[in-house]
Structure formats: structure tokens, C-alpha cells
Amino acid sequence: MKKIINLTKAFFVNSSREFAIPFWTIIFPTLFFILFVNIFENIGNPDNIDFTIGVYYEQPLDGIVKTTFEGIFSSETSNNIPFKIQEYSNFNEGLEHLKKSNINAFVVFPENFNLLNFKFFQSSLTVPNLQVYYTNDNASLYAKDIFKVFIDEVNIMMHTRGEEVNLIIKEEILGLEDKQPFRYRDFLFPAIILMSVLTVAVFNIPFEISYNLEKGIFKKLGTSPIKGNEYFLSFLLSHIILLLISLVILYFEGYLFDVNSYIYKPAFIFYTFFSILVILSVGLFLSTLYKNMTSAGAVSQIIYQATIFLSGLYFEVTNTPWIIRWYVYFNPVTYLVDGMRKIMTNTALLPANILVPVVWMIASVLIFSLNYKGMIYGEK
């Protein structure tokens, strides 16, 4: 045991001395997360979305209320406001359209809302609150917020017509109130974790093994008291420690960015470690494909880029042409990142999220075990 601890420490210190390894494994993923969140999450800001707000009148408006509201909210004149208006004659129809995201928010003018006409003369009157229904969808949240700002402007207009009259909005969110909206930062967080693991599996592990083969390290180990299983166990542990440091920093960054709280759930953490084991196993398999550092560098770049962009890490890839879509379904990272996102959205995992990665892990370990002796004998 002491031998493994000392070996692990030696491997870790040796890896940490090279700036490229901690940079691409720890520093780059954290910078990448900040960059992508600030670029792509802002694509969905209110200035870039066309909102549609449904309106239902429980009672036809009249008087000043009709003049102020109906003129603004009618579909013919809604071009002057930052959203489109769709009127409904049925309350349930409007709610159903909101649930299906056909509209972004649903506003109900309640019965007796016309009492607002007399509020100017009798301030003690109680006017029913406007009711705004919305969902956890980003666009719905934005539409709700914009509507509130718009109502503030209407309040100012009402003040100019008489005494101060405040319109109060009663908000109600459809679905689970405790469910957080799923934002791009939530979508991206599992991808950044897997990107860090892929860096170790596709570059660090194959490169170090190829380097040791070129330098004849394995033959020298054969004359030492260090056994092969002790060497590889320590070798993997040193990289796992590096990944743990990366995870701690990424989680701290996720906390600062207020990423979905499901990343702290045991199920997500367990599946993350499962993903690490799968991808590191694939890294061992990849190391059997390379005979030297030159071939490792060329092939690793191709595999890394294809896996990064054809696994759904940063955007949806299931609609890619069939000539490249086969790789989407072939590579295990597709199922791992999908599984992590399912856990973050409290959705049940599919059998493929477990079975496909397990098959890859078992196959990779078997191939590496069978090719290990051939790698050693082919050593310079």
C-alpha cells in the first residue's frame, strides 16, 4: 500500500510540473465555462426573443380601463409594445397553450376589474388583482418580468388621469414551484466536467504511456520490485486526483454561477464518478492504439474534437446528417452527458445511459489488458 501511495505521489508531482497538464485539465475548463455562459446564455436575453402573451378577459372592460388597456392589448395595436398579444375566449385554452409553450405568459383580467374606473373617486374600493401565469421556461420568465415593467408604465399613465391608483399583479407559476429553470449554464456544466475528463483520457494518459514506451520505462520496471498492476493503479490514481481538484474548482465556479442545485445531489455525484471511470477506461484503450508520441498527438486531436462536438456537449447533435450521426450514437460521452442532464432535470435515466457506457468500460479494460504485453514487448 505504501508503495502505491509513493508512486501515486510521484506521478502526480511529475504531471503537475508540466504547465500544460494542469492548464488543460483544470484552468481551461473553468475559463471555458465562464466564456460560454457569458456568450451563449445572453443569446436568450429579452432583446433577442419574440414574446407572445396570452390575454383573457373574464368581463369586458369599459370606461377608462377599456381605453387604457384594451387599446394597448388589442392584437391590432400591440406592435408598440415589446411582445405580441393573443386574446383567448376560454381560460383553460390559454393555460394549455402556456403549458405547451405556445405563449410565454398568460394574463387574466378578473371579473370586477372595471371597479378600477371608480377607484379614482372612491379610493377605498378593492380592485381584483391582475393574474399572471408563467412557467419555468426562460422565455416565460423574461416575458413575465417585461410585463411587470410594462404595468409600471401603465400605472404612471393611470396616475396622470387622477389620484394615485396602483395595479397589483398576482403571479402564479405552473408546475412545480421548487423546480429551478434549466438555463444554458445548467446545460453546459456537465459538459465542462466531461471535457476535463476527456482531456485526461484522450491526451494525458495516452501521451504519458507513449512517452514511457519510447523511453523504455516499462522494461526498466520489469527489473524493479514494482509490479505492473501497482504501476497502473498509481498512474490512474494520480490522474483521478488531478480530476478531483478540477471538480472542486468547477463546483466552486458552479456555486458562484448559481448552477442548478441538483449538481450537489448524491445521484449526480455518483454518476459523475461513474463517467470518470468510463472515460478513463477508454483512455487506456486509446493508449494501445499508439506506437509513439507522433501518432498519439495526431489521432488524439481527431478523436477529441469529434467527441467534443459530436456528443451534444455544447449543443443538440441528434439532427446532424447520417454521414456523421453514427458517431453521435457510437461514442459513450453522448450517453454520459445526457444522463447527467437527466439527473439535473430530475428525469429518469434511460437504460442506454448505463448500459452503453458500461459496455465501453468493460471492452476498453479487456482490450487494454490483452494488448498490454504486446505494448511492452514492442517497446524500444
Side-chain angles (χ1 to χ4, degrees):
M1 186 64 182
K2 185 177 180 180
K3 192 187 300 181
I4 292 175
I5 293 174
N6 291 333
L7 269 174
T8 301
K9 181 181 177 181
F11 281 128
F12 179 75
V13 171
N14 185 57
S15 297
S16 302
R17 284 174 180 168
E18 298 182 27
F19 176 73
I21 292 178
F23 175 79
W24 292 108
T25 308
I26 300 174
I27 301 173
F28 181 74
T30 59
L31 296 176
F32 195 90
F33 182 72
I34 295 171
L35 181 66
F36 262 49
V37 167
N38 282 282
I39 292 176
F40 291 104
E41 191 163 276
N42 287 334
I43 289 176
N45 66 27
D47 296 329
N48 299 319
I49 299 178
D50 293 326
F51 299 112
T52 301
I53 292 182
V55 176
Y56 171 66
Y57 300 97
E58 290 186 351
Q59 181 181 0
L61 303 182
D62 57 34
I64 295 176
V65 175
K66 179 181 177 68
T67 304
T68 305
F69 284 94
E70 205 168 57
I72 295 173
F73 284 99
S74 67
S75 56
E76 291 81 9
T77 61
S78 61
N79 289 331
N80 296 323
I81 57 177
F83 42 75
K84 297 177 183 178
I85 298 298
Q86 182 173 339
E87 294 185 19
Y88 289 92
S89 58
N90 184 281
F91 172 79
N92 291 327
E93 181 185 5
L95 279 186
E96 284 301 314
H97 278 209
L98 177 60
K99 292 176 183 177
K100 295 177 181 178
S101 297
N102 294 334
I103 57 176
N104 304 115
F106 185 47
V107 179
V108 176
F109 286 80
E111 191 176 1
N112 297 324
F113 190 73
N114 287 318
L115 288 175
L116 186 62
N117 289 313
F118 304 101
K119 186 88 172 170
F120 293 107
F121 312 105
Q122 189 173 347
S123 58
S124 60
L125 284 174
T126 301
V127 179
N129 299 336
L130 278 172
Q131 298 172 1
V132 178
Y133 297 86
Y134 62 102
T135 67
N136 282 319
D137 180 72
N138 272 346
S140 185
L141 293 170
Y142 284 135
K144 182 259 298 184
D145 291 339
I146 288 177
F147 180 77
K148 287 177 64 177
V149 173
F150 181 71
I151 288 298
D152 289 339
E153 295 295 327
V154 174
N155 267 325
I156 294 174
M157 293 175 59
M158 299 294 287
H159 295 169
T160 63
R161 297 175 181 269
E163 296 181 8
E164 183 173 339
V165 178
N166 290 317
L167 300 177
I168 301 174
I169 299 176
K170 177 186 177 183
E171 297 178 1
E172 185 171 340
I173 187 168
L174 299 184
L176 300 174
E177 279 93 355
D178 61 348
K179 183 179 179 181
Q180 299 178 15
F182 197 67
R183 303 151 298 176
Y184 184 70
R185 66 189 66 184
D186 304 321
F187 179 85
L188 185 63
F189 189 77
I192 299 300
I193 291 177
L194 294 183
M195 185 179 75
S196 179
V197 183
L198 278 169
T199 301
V200 172
V202 179
F203 292 113
N204 298 2
I205 290 178
F207 280 20
E208 289 190 36
I209 291 179
S210 297
Y211 175 82
N212 290 338
L213 287 171
E214 284 191 354
K215 298 300 180 181
I217 302 297
F218 291 113
K219 283 184 178 179
K220 294 175 182 177
L221 282 175
T223 62
S224 72
I226 300 174
K227 297 179 181 179
N229 60 343
E230 293 174 337
Y231 171 87
F232 279 106
L233 178 59
S234 303
F235 178 73
L236 288 176
L237 283 174
S238 67
H239 287 290
I240 290 174
I241 292 171
L242 194 67
L243 285 173
L244 288 176
I245 295 173
S246 177
L247 276 176
V248 170
I249 295 174
L250 285 174
Y251 262 80
F252 178 70
E253 191 175 36
Y255 171 77
L256 294 179
F257 275 79
D258 191 30
V259 174
N260 190 302
S261 61
Y262 271 83
I263 64 174
Y264 307 106
K265 298 288 184 181
F268 184 87
I269 295 173
F270 175 81
Y271 195 84
T272 298
F273 280 99
F274 168 69
S275 302
I276 289 174
L277 292 177
V278 172
I279 297 176
L280 291 185
S281 301
V282 175
L284 290 176
F285 158 66
L286 292 176
S287 65
T288 65
L289 304 178
Y290 311 134
K291 301 300 180 183
N292 51 59
M293 290 286 289
T294 304
S295 61
V299 179
S300 291
Q301 279 291 350
I302 295 173
I303 294 174
Y304 183 78
Q305 297 301 331
T307 303
I308 286 291
F309 291 104
L310 292 177
S311 301
L313 293 189
Y314 309 135
F315 39 76
E316 180 61 43
V317 291
T318 54
N319 293 324
T320 53
W322 271 109
I323 194 170
I324 58 174
R325 199 189 309 176
W326 65 269
Y327 191 81
V328 174
Y329 298 111
F330 175 73
N331 92 77
V333 180
T334 300
Y335 304 92
L336 293 173
V337 72
D338 179 66
M340 294 172 80
R341 286 171 181 152
K342 278 185 167 61
I343 294 173
M344 287 183 72
T345 55
N346 201 24
T347 306
L349 293 175
L350 296 175
N353 295 123
I354 301 295
L355 293 179
V356 174
V358 166
V359 169
W360 266 96
M361 181 167 61
I362 294 173
S364 297
V365 171
L366 284 175
I367 293 172
F368 177 78
S369 301
L370 293 173
N371 290 345
Y372 171 70
K373 288 186 178 180
M375 290 167 57
I376 303 304
Y377 291 141
E379 189 178 42
K380 293 182 179 179

